Each structure stands twice: as C-alpha cells, then as structure tokens.
Amino acid sequence: MSRRYDSRTTIFSPEGRLYQVEYAMEAIGNAGSAIGILSKDGVVLIGEKKVTSKLLQTSTSSEKMYKIDDHVACAVAGIMSDANILINTARVQAQRYTFMYQEPMPVEQLVQSLCDTKQGYTQFGGLRPFGVSFLFAGWDKNHGFQLYMSDPSGNYGGWKAAAVGANNQAAQSILKQDYKDDATREEAVELALKVLSKTMDSTSLTSEKLELAEVFLTPSGSVKYHVHSPDSLTKLLVKHGVTQPAA
Amino acid sequence: MECVFGLVGNGFAIVAADTSAVHSILVHKNNEDKIMVLDSHKLIAASGEPGDRVHFTEYAQKNVSLYQFRNGIPLTTAAAANFIRRELATALRKNPYSVNILMAGYGKEAGASLYYIDYIATLHKVDKGAFGYGSYFSLSTMDRHYRSDMSVEEAIELDDKCIREIRSRLVIAPPNFVIKIVDKDGAREHAWRQSVQDVTTASV
C-alpha cells in the first residue's frame, strides 16, 4: 500500500490511483443510502435517514433531499456539511445560467458544471475532495425527465435507476433485475420502496427513517418537486406491503 | 446614416441592412455585409461604430458556437438574445459597445422571432423594428403596410418600399442594401438591392 501518496490529494499513486478520491467513496459507503428511479412521467428519489429522533423538526429540515432550482432536485449521500457547500454551488450555477439566458439551465449542464467543480478538488489546490455522491433528478425541454449520478471524482452518468450510499451495490443489482423501462411514477415509487426495504440494515421500515420525493409535470406543464409528508409515506408503505410493524 | 430594419412574417423573419462602410466624408466600400449569420438559424443585423460592430458580433457568434460545441444543442433565439443583452449590459457599465442589433431567428417551439437590442442593452421582442435615421421612414412604412402573416413575397415588397423611401427621403442615403432571411430551412442571404456598384476597372 503506497501510504506515502495518501495525504497529497492531487497526485497519483504509482499504481495510477487517486487515494483521496477512493477514501471519499469509502466515507459515502457508510452513509445513508439513496435511490433514484426514472419513470416515463417523472423521477422518484428516496433516501434513508441516519439521524432519526422524535425531536427532529421534520417540517423544516431535510437530510437527504434538496431543491436546486424549480426544475431540478437532488438526493445526497455522504458528509452532510460537504453536501451543503455543493448544493449551494449548484444553486448559484443554476441561477447564474438563468440570469444570463433567461431560461432554466438544462439538467445535464447543471450536473456537468457541478462535477467540474468537484474535479477541481482532485487536481489542484491541495484540498481534499468532497465526500458526497449525488442523485440529480430533473426535467428540461431537451431531454424530458432525467436522472444523473455523480461521485467525488467528478464523474457523472445518466441513469434509468441508480443507488448511492450504504449497500448501493446490492441495491443496484436488485434495480437491474426489477427495473422496467415503461414504468409509471407510482410503479417507480413502489420499486424504490421495495429495493430500499431489502437493502436497509434496520429491521422495520417506518416513515421516520425515510424521505421520498418526486419530480413530475403538473397538468399545466410546469415542473413540480414534491416531498412526501410522513403521513403520506406511511400510507404508501402500508399500501405496498413494505412496512413491518414494530414488535 | 446606417439603416437596419426587419420584420417577422409567416414562419420566417427578414432583416435588411445598408452596405456602406463610411468614415467621415469617405465611403470605403459599398458592399459591407452588416448582417452576420450567428448559427444555422439565427441572424444579427448590426449598426453602429464599425470597430465595435465587428468585434461584438464576432464575440457573440463565437460564444453561440461555443455553447453548441459544449452542450450539443443550439441556444434558442430567446436565450441568444438575452445572452447578447446581458453582455451589452455588463459592458455598458465599463466600456460600452456602440452597437445596435436586430436579431432574427427561427426555433421549432417559438417559430420565427425578431429581437430589438439597442446599444444601452434594451431588449424587446418585436414584430418589426428598425435602427438609424432610416428608421424614421422604414418604421412608418412598415406600420402602414405590415400584417402579421405576410408571405415572403409580400415582406420583400414591403422591404423594397422601405428602401425606396429611404433612398428618396434621407439625405446621404445609403445606395445599397442586403436582405437576409431566416426560416425553418435556415438563415441565408436572400437578395441585394444595389443602385451603385464599386468601380473595378478604370474607365477610359
């Protein structure tokens, strides 16, 4: 193991690896998972909350889901404080684009722009990379509904279904088996709940431990980002037979 | 005495500009093309300080191309117009460009559109617009004869009316004009109207 090359974030090891980037991904692997699923009429994002307490103000604070612009939202896995910086950066980039062109920023361009920022931290400055992976869900007039996953290296890809955070590999393989191309949003919600219930470590799935959001078009044609309330979540868990009552 | 004017017809937009390059009392050339093709479906007709005109329109065109290379999709006409306005507005508070622009474009969703952008970064989406002393004559003529669904032939007739009016009523009227059109098939040169041509051979 070439430990000599660990502390310098911006240089390669002799084997051609960037250790700091890999360690960042390790950190994310211990964080609460998030799953995103693309359907033909919307994108579903679901996240596992690690901080659960009755004392938490759920109406005002969100741990996993954030709105970047009217037409783009993201789910987060990793170090929350790092995520906040990047979310703010993404929000500024989106507004800067609209300031210039008077149009919403195409989703891929927003993701690319944020990933360029992340890449910078792997090449110069001597600062560590961000320990966050994102799932971006959005709509634009060029490509309709889109889902993107990005990691600390600054790589990103467009996905039909993707998972980040703890047990993401298990989640990804279940998604590969069960994902259907022409699923509706409701079916995507069902799939997301089922996959998360299988991969989450905890024994019972309650609305306290989850956050569920959807990005879709209203009948009038505008993009809506909707986060489910705990009651609505509980109803969905019961409806899809996914909740296990506490013993 | 630069004259630029344009209008939107049925599925197309047309712009005309004079083609005189003038410095003080000297006419450098009679066939200076002041309508730049921004991309496949956009035109900008510009008037103003010659150095600023060329510099700014080339800058706009290169940025529009860069956007397309970077993102694989062209800017919409509205987005390009707003970008140009933003650049003029930023420069205005430092080193203003003395350029007035009429931008014509065609997009699948928006159809044909025309944008009026003046040197102090005013932006208006218009059906017809004009700049320069010639605007006193071309705007009035267009106000009288313009309809919103004109065919290309009718629009060219109206353009010719404007050119005739400018030629007969404006002192030091520019002799030559170029007319360019943009529609679903793209942006292209449509016609020239020349009453004076550069002398290339010495007459005996």
Side-chain angles (χ1 to χ4, degrees):
Chain A
M1 279 284 250
S2 304
R3 289 280 173 191
R4 265 178 288 167
Y5 303 93
D6 285 1
S7 48
R8 295 282 297 279
T9 63
T10 54
I11 64 175
F12 285 107
S13 76
E15 298 92 47
R17 295 158 69 175
L18 290 169
Y19 277 115
Q20 283 301 307
V21 174
E22 292 181 19
Y23 296 160
M25 301 202 204
E26 265 302 306
I28 296 165
N30 298 327
S33 36
I35 294 176
I37 300 182
L38 188 66
S39 75
K40 58 177 188 219
D41 58 338
V43 193
V44 174
L45 291 174
I46 192 168
E48 170 199 356
K49 289 207 275 204
K50 282 289 193 182
V51 184
T52 55
S53 161
K54 260 195 307 201
L55 295 172
L56 204 60
Q57 262 282 41
T58 45
S59 56
T60 49
S61 76
S62 173
E63 191 185 308
K64 306 294 289 182
M65 313 284 174
Y66 297 90
K67 192 174 175 187
I68 306 290
D69 196 354
D70 287 331
H71 63 298
V72 184
C74 70
V76 158
I79 304 174
M80 291 315 307
S81 44
D82 283 8
N84 281 330
I85 302 289
L86 283 173
I87 286 164
N88 185 55
T89 307
R91 285 172 174 160
V92 172
Q93 284 163 350
Q95 292 308 309
R96 206 173 272 149
Y97 184 97
T98 306
F99 183 61
M100 177 83 90
Y101 298 104
Q102 299 298 314
E103 278 185 351
M105 189 171 191
V107 185
E108 177 161 8
Q109 285 183 41
L110 177 61
V111 176
Q112 189 155 28
S113 166
L114 193 69
C115 286
D116 285 346
T117 307
K118 288 206 235 184
Q119 188 275 346
Y121 286 77
T122 70
Q123 197 171 26
F124 49 81
L127 303 169
R128 67 164 173 83
F130 289 97
V132 200
S133 279
F134 284 99
L135 288 171
F136 287 98
W139 184 94
D140 63 43
K141 61 176 166 39
N142 304 308
H143 298 298
F145 290 107
Q146 298 150 73
L147 175 68
Y148 294 94
M149 178 166 74
S150 80
D151 64 27
S153 66
N155 278 327
Y156 74 91
W159 292 83
K160 296 179 187 176
V164 290
N167 301 323
N168 65 321
Q169 273 173 334
Q172 199 86 34
S173 55
I174 303 176
L175 284 170
K176 199 151 68 156
Q177 279 176 328
D178 293 348
Y179 177 79
K180 278 193 272 301
D181 269 311
D182 51 358
T184 62
R185 222 181 339 130
E186 279 179 49
E187 291 167 347
V189 169
E190 185 181 345
L191 178 60
L193 287 167
K194 292 213 167 122
V195 172
L196 205 60
S197 71
K198 286 186 199 162
T199 59
M200 259 171 78
D201 289 333
S202 51
T203 45
S204 71
L205 208 64
T206 61
S207 63
E208 272 179 5
K209 299 184 185 160
L210 297 179
E211 268 181 48
L212 175 66
E214 296 180 60
V215 177
F216 55 94
L217 287 179
T218 62
S220 61
S222 55
V223 188
K224 185 137 167 53
Y225 162 73
H226 171 70
V227 183
H228 282 260
S229 65
D231 291 330
S232 160
L233 244 185
T234 312
K235 283 202 196 84
L236 280 168
L237 287 167
V238 168
K239 179 173 161 192
H240 295 303
V242 163
T243 194
Q244 279 128 357
Chain B
M1 305 283 174
E2 291 189 312
C3 302
V4 173
F5 59 94
L7 57 97
V8 177
N10 189 9
F12 69 94
I14 203 159
V15 283
D18 77 284
T19 58
S20 302
V22 169
H23 182 82
S24 169
I25 57 167
L26 179 68
V27 177
H28 282 298
K29 62 192 287 206
N30 282 320
N31 54 1
E32 168 81 354
D33 187 354
K34 297 177 190 170
I35 307 182
M36 173 169 278
V37 174
L38 210 56
D39 72 11
S40 63
H41 286 74
K42 293 182 193 54
L43 292 169
I44 36 176
S47 73
E49 279 294 331
D52 283 356
R53 170 172 56 79
V54 171
H55 187 272
F56 185 77
T57 53
E58 283 185 0
Y59 174 73
Q61 192 214 43
K62 295 326 174 209
N63 271 286
V64 168
S65 294
L66 180 61
Y67 183 99
Q68 180 147 11
F69 282 121
R70 271 192 181 140
N71 303 307
I73 46 168
L75 278 168
T76 59
T77 315
N82 276 294
F83 166 75
I84 285 175
R85 190 210 89 80
R86 178 64 52 199
E87 291 298 308
L88 281 172
T90 311
L92 182 64
R93 285 133 180 106
K94 258 199 215 163
N95 303 303
Y97 289 103
S98 273
V99 193
N100 298 307
I101 284 170
L102 270 182
M103 193 177 117
Y106 184 89
K108 261 196 280 284
E109 277 183 22
S113 46
L114 184 68
Y115 288 88
Y116 171 104
I117 308 170
D118 74 12
Y119 72 105
I120 42 176
T122 307
L123 173 70
H124 290 303
K125 184 173 184 300
V126 293
D127 286 332
K128 48 182 152 51
F131 284 109
Y133 285 116
S135 68
Y136 292 116
F137 308 104
S138 49
L139 273 176
S140 326
T141 312
M142 287 196 285
D143 281 344
R144 171 71 181 80
H145 296 291
Y146 176 84
R147 281 179 350 268
S148 59
D149 55 353
M150 296 173 89
S151 68
V152 179
E153 293 75 27
E154 290 170 328
I156 294 292
E157 256 187 65
L158 181 49
D159 268 16
D160 279 331
K161 279 199 178 76
C162 293
I163 291 172
R164 241 174 290 138
E165 204 60 32
I166 290 169
R167 275 182 183 156
S168 61
R169 285 300 182 187
L170 186 58
V171 69
I172 317 186
N176 301 339
F177 287 81
V178 65
I179 303 174
K180 296 198 183 179
I181 189 172
V182 60
D183 60 17
K184 65 174 175 26
D185 298 323
R188 57 195 181 276
E189 196 178 281
H190 183 81
W192 283 73
R193 298 284 183 256
Q194 295 177 304
S195 60
V196 165
Q197 265 166 326
D198 272 330
V199 177
T200 47
T201 54
S203 43
V204 174

